[in-house]
Amino acid sequence: MNTKLVIDIARELVANDKGLLAIDESNPTCNKRFAKLGIPQTVEARRDYRELIVTTPGLGECISATAPPAEMNTTSQWKRHEKSPSHGHC
């Protein structure tokens, strides 16, 4: 592992008082939250929830990147927003 590269990336992620937004909670955790609110516990509902977060206007002013769950890396809906201004580069 290239320690200098990791340090450089970490510094870039927190530059200008920004940070990384982790939206990678497990499906069981997300489903538990949804169940309490009467939201369907489906891939589509979880995707819509996460998409709502990453498409929030102005989000890119506060965060430098998002850490999506593996489930989102394979859905076309997520890929549609990979290059949006509110979505980071991770």
Side-chain angles (χ1 to χ4, degrees):
M1 175 187 291
N2 183 334
T3 304
K4 182 183 179 326
L5 177 60
V6 172
I7 291 169
D8 289 345
I9 291 170
R11 285 187 177 138
E12 183 180 335
L13 288 172
V14 298
N16 300 317
D17 295 324
K18 291 185 179 183
L20 176 68
L21 176 63
I23 55 172
D24 62 343
E25 67 185 354
S26 71
N27 290 343
T29 298
C30 193
N31 287 341
K32 190 175 179 181
R33 294 175 198 271
F34 283 7
K36 287 181 182 179
L37 299 169
I39 299 170
Q41 298 153 45
T42 63
V43 171
E44 293 80 14
R46 289 187 301 271
R47 180 192 60 224
D48 290 346
Y49 165 68
R50 291 171 178 134
E51 183 176 335
L52 179 67
I53 294 169
V54 300
T55 59
T56 299
L59 183 64
E61 296 170 21
C62 303
I63 68 164
S64 57
T66 57
E71 175 180 72
M72 298 307 293
N73 292 332
T74 59
T75 63
S76 60
Q77 191 77 4
W78 178 262
K79 292 181 181 296
R80 192 175 72 193
H81 294 287
E82 283 182 340
K83 296 191 178 5
S84 73
S86 61
H87 182 75
H89 58 275
C90 280

